Amino acid sequence: MSDVLAVADHRRGAVRDVSFEIVRAGRELADDLDGDLHLAVIAGDVDAFADRLSLAGVDAIHTVEAGEEFNHDLYAGATAALFEELAPTAVLMPNSVNGLDYAPAVANRLDLPLVADAVDLAYDDGLEATREMYGSKVETTVEVSEEPFAVTVRGGEWAALEERADVPVEAFEYEFDESASGARVQGFEEVGAGDVDIADAEFLVSVGRGIEEEENLELIEELVEVTGATMSSSRPIVDNGWLPKNRQVGQSGKQVTPDVYLAIGISGAVQHVAGMKGAETIIAINTDPNAPIFDIADYGIVGDLFDVVPALIEEFE
Amino acid sequence: MKILVTVKEVAEAADDFEIEGTDIGEQYLEYDLNEWDDYAVEAAVQLSETYDDVEVVSATIGPERAEETIRMALAKGVDRSIRVWDDDVAAADLDVAAKTRLFAAVVEEEDPDLVLSGVQAADDGFGATGVSLADEIGFDWAAVVNDLETEDDLSMAHVHRELEGGIEELTDVDFPAVLTIQTGLNEPRYASLRGIRQAQSKEIAEFGLADLGLDADAVASPISRTGMYEPETESDATYLDGAADEQAGQLADVLREKGVVSE
């Protein structure tokens, strides 16, 4: 048998999208390996999650009933214990923020080679994984010469598997005492509440690293004023403290779906695109004609924002 | 207290570049301190300024060229540095497990109370070494930390882990620990002229595999890069051409047509 063990991701009572995607990735890999796909569901209301994840292509669901929320000691320990029990060829874990917190520990304690943040997987006498490098400027292929192996998969790269089926659910006993864990979750905090909710805006003017200096933000403020738009930004602007966190669009910020999203000086890293690809019309201004933002733009202006934006302000003054 | 900060020199590719073999041609790459590690260095230096008797040591796996980047960390307030490199390391395709073994050997040597590393490296972006290291050396850990407060007896930290979608997880982590640091945790300082001068006289100790009690097996990796290519562009954007004022004029028309501009 050459099975695949995949681990589901959930948070605060809801199964996260990447779980449905990792089932697709796991099914495809299990087909290549001619094996079964096992899905682990760890912590929280595991029966409800198992029901949600009873999907065509999953051969068995293993529930680990322990703890309410994510804890990396629980996830790493339970995944490693399931690995010992099932002896799969591949362990797939999500490259989510929680995945980053336990997947490397799983690979380390099981002594498995780890391919992180894979965007495609193929198996033919060995694993070949595709991943990005240099800030998404290139894709690379890596081959893994040892088995078993561990992979973390990037969210949004595999189509969600939604078709339901009756999947056998087995409870897997794993003893866990959260109070003995060296890292204990105390709670959650929603960040980015504040004066405006950019998720409500119809027209977002969004600014990125290309603005170069904090004082140059005045230019964007002026554009926002004459057009009646709402200002948002990519991560570096918030990291620099130039705009508050509630203005940040992207994976760790807000997801927005305005009628028009005007991206100014934003290259379009995958984490940013995750937050704005649902906009109806995307317009990008960037000096780099190869910037990935143009891949998802409906309208593109290859040019210097310091020339184009003042001219645009004049149009509406 | 001793803090070990892992510091990587990363390559950034120029806008226009060419691929040679399985990497971008050397002439298109520029090297710099990894952005995430810059925040980790700042966090360590701030702790050394807040508490008495805190030593900050940086550890880098990298060739001699990386000393420029290491000097930058020293100029920002790191007390001394370790650089791991030799012919076997240079010849290896280092995977997460190999880096874990090298840093674990450095930890054995230095015996730190806290290890800070960036969440990921800007070039290869595995985002795994810090947590893998923590598991290997038996430290507690927290990944993707964007807020850090320490108890005054330095027994533990209260951290925020930056989850997706504007949610932060509040977690208590016992020391000794490894924390992987997210950008935005603090405001990394620029090196002062005085700092740059002082950095010239600070120690960068070189360690080869043998110095760390390891041999070439420690850097053997079952993962190898076999190809690199530019992703096919999927753009079907309508490009607005011409001089800047012409581009702006067409853009204004698009915005009016979409009905989002109130005039």
Side-chain angles (χ1 to χ4, degrees):
Chain A
M1 288 290 268
S2 298
D3 293 348
V4 175
L5 170 63
V7 185
D9 213 26
H10 62 82
R11 202 172 72 198
R12 304 171 89 195
V15 176
R16 300 191 64 242
D17 291 349
V18 70
S19 300
F20 298 89
E21 298 158 14
I22 207 169
V23 167
R24 168 95 56 192
R27 184 64 256 164
E28 288 175 0
L29 185 59
D31 286 344
D32 287 345
L33 287 162
D34 202 17
D36 286 344
L37 172 62
H38 298 266
L39 184 64
V41 178
I42 304 167
D45 189 352
V46 288
D47 293 329
F49 298 145
D51 181 51
R52 205 56 197 90
L53 291 164
S54 285
L55 302 167
V58 180
D59 295 293
I61 295 176
H62 305 270
T63 56
V64 178
E65 197 169 359
E68 286 303 304
E69 284 289 347
F70 177 80
N71 173 290
H72 62 232
D73 289 321
L74 168 62
Y75 266 66
T79 304
L82 267 166
F83 177 91
E84 303 290 356
E85 169 94 5
L86 300 168
T89 300
V91 185
L92 300 191
M93 294 165 279
N95 195 61
S96 59
V97 174
N98 282 343
L100 289 172
D101 202 38
Y102 78 94
V106 171
N108 184 64
R109 64 184 69 164
L110 296 172
D111 205 13
L112 305 179
L114 173 66
V115 176
D117 202 18
V119 299
D120 198 13
L121 297 173
Y123 186 92
D124 182 19
D125 264 353
L127 180 74
E128 185 186 77
T130 303
R131 52 192 314 283
E132 294 182 340
M133 269 186 73
Y134 298 116
S136 305
K137 278 186 175 157
V138 298
E139 289 191 346
T140 66
T141 48
V142 297
E143 284 180 15
V144 182
S145 63
E146 264 178 30
E147 290 175 3
F149 50 79
V151 177
T152 66
V153 305
R154 179 182 290 183
E157 294 293 326
W158 279 264
L161 203 153
E162 314 257 14
E163 192 192 334
R164 298 189 55 80
D166 269 332
V167 180
V169 178
E170 293 165 37
F172 181 76
E173 293 300 323
Y174 180 77
E175 286 289 321
F176 181 70
D177 176 9
E178 182 152 18
S179 64
S181 179
R184 299 165 301 277
V185 179
Q186 304 297 307
F188 295 91
E189 202 171 280
E190 305 232 8
V191 289
D195 50 341
V196 283
D197 190 348
I198 54 172
D200 292 340
E202 284 177 9
F203 178 22
L204 281 175
V205 169
S206 209
V207 58
R209 224 189 265 268
I211 198 72
E212 292 171 2
E213 304 283 344
E214 184 171 15
E215 48 268 32
N216 296 337
L217 275 181
E218 282 175 23
L219 186 63
I220 308 300
E221 279 161 12
E222 214 176 313
L223 176 63
V224 162
E225 195 157 309
V226 297
T227 57
T230 302
M231 180 150 54
S232 58
S233 80
S234 63
R235 171 164 203 127
I237 305 300
V238 173
D239 277 352
N240 287 343
W242 299 348
L243 283 177
K245 182 93 186 168
N246 64 348
R247 302 283 178 157
Q248 185 181 326
V249 173
Q251 203 166 67
S252 55
K254 288 261 168 63
Q255 289 220 355
V256 296
T257 54
D259 295 341
V260 173
Y261 189 86
L262 174 56
I264 301 176
I266 292 176
S267 66
V270 58
Q271 294 86 352
H272 182 75
V273 169
M276 46 66 79
K277 63 185 174 199
E280 201 159 308
T281 300
I282 296 168
I283 306 168
I285 303 174
N286 205 293
T287 48
D288 177 9
N290 299 317
I293 191 79
F294 289 121
D295 290 349
I296 56 154
D298 301 291
Y299 296 92
I301 289 179
V302 178
D304 189 338
L305 75 90
F306 296 107
D307 297 329
V308 178
V309 174
L312 188 59
I313 291 168
E314 247 175 62
E315 286 283 333
F316 291 108
E317 261 173 350
Chain B
M1 184 192 196
K2 190 191 279 186
I3 305 174
L4 186 74
V5 194
T6 60
V7 165
K8 188 179 180 186
E9 183 187 67
V10 295
E12 191 182 338
D15 283 347
D16 290 306
F17 61 85
E18 279 174 37
I19 292 166
E20 293 168 8
T22 60
D23 208 342
I24 289 176
E26 185 64 37
Q27 65 271 36
Y28 306 106
L29 297 176
E30 266 189 56
Y31 293 89
D32 204 350
L33 170 61
N34 181 38
E35 187 181 354
W36 284 265
D37 298 347
D38 199 12
Y39 288 87
V41 165
E42 179 63 32
V45 172
Q46 285 187 11
L47 285 170
S48 77
E49 290 166 346
T50 306
Y51 298 103
D52 292 334
D53 300 321
V54 175
E55 186 185 25
V56 179
V57 181
S58 73
T60 299
I61 303 169
E64 202 175 343
R65 184 196 61 226
E67 294 211 349
E68 203 179 318
T69 293
I70 296 170
R71 290 272 173 224
M72 196 50 70
L74 289 168
K76 290 177 181 216
V78 169
D79 294 306
R80 60 184 172 85
S81 294
I82 292 166
R83 182 171 69 84
V84 178
W85 200 249
D86 64 16
D87 291 346
D88 288 324
V89 180
D93 211 345
L94 297 176
D95 69 349
V96 175
K99 290 178 200 169
T100 298
R101 287 188 284 269
L102 295 179
F103 283 129
V106 171
V107 166
E108 180 132 332
E109 195 82 17
E110 290 290 336
D111 194 23
D113 306 282
L114 178 64
V115 178
L116 301 180
S117 72
V119 165
Q120 61 180 357
D123 48 7
D124 65 4
F126 264 72
T129 305
V131 170
S132 178
L133 175 66
D135 191 65
E136 179 65 23
I137 61 181
F139 281 23
D140 289 306
W141 74 85
V144 195
V145 168
N146 73 343
D147 193 71
L148 168 62
E149 256 181 74
T150 43
E151 285 286 323
D152 278 340
D153 63 0
L154 296 172
S155 62
M156 65 180 293
H158 308 284
V159 305
H160 290 202
R161 295 182 55 237
E162 184 191 71
L163 304 180
E164 297 88 350
I167 308 282
E168 294 180 0
E169 180 198 280
L170 284 53
T171 298
D172 287 350
V173 190
D174 296 336
F175 286 175
V178 177
L179 305 178
T180 79
I181 301 299
Q182 175 64 302
T183 58
L185 173 79
N186 48 39
E187 280 181 53
R189 69 194 66 193
Y190 291 98
S192 65
L193 279 174
R194 188 161 154 268
I196 291 168
R197 263 202 314 275
Q198 285 173 341
Q200 295 309 316
S201 57
K202 288 181 180 174
E203 180 196 10
I204 302 179
E206 282 182 49
F207 286 90
L209 290 175
D211 303 315
L212 293 169
L214 301 169
D215 59 29
D217 287 347
V219 291
S221 161
I223 300 176
S224 50
R225 197 191 304 159
T226 52
M228 178 178 285
Y229 48 92
E230 286 187 66
E232 284 168 36
T233 169
E234 294 151 9
S235 177
D236 52 5
T238 303
Y239 284 92
L240 311 179
D241 296 324
D245 56 339
E246 293 163 340
Q247 290 176 316
Q250 296 171 67
L251 176 51
D253 290 342
V254 171
L255 294 174
R256 289 188 187 105
E257 184 198 317
K258 301 286 172 196
V260 290
V261 181
S262 43
E263 281 182 278

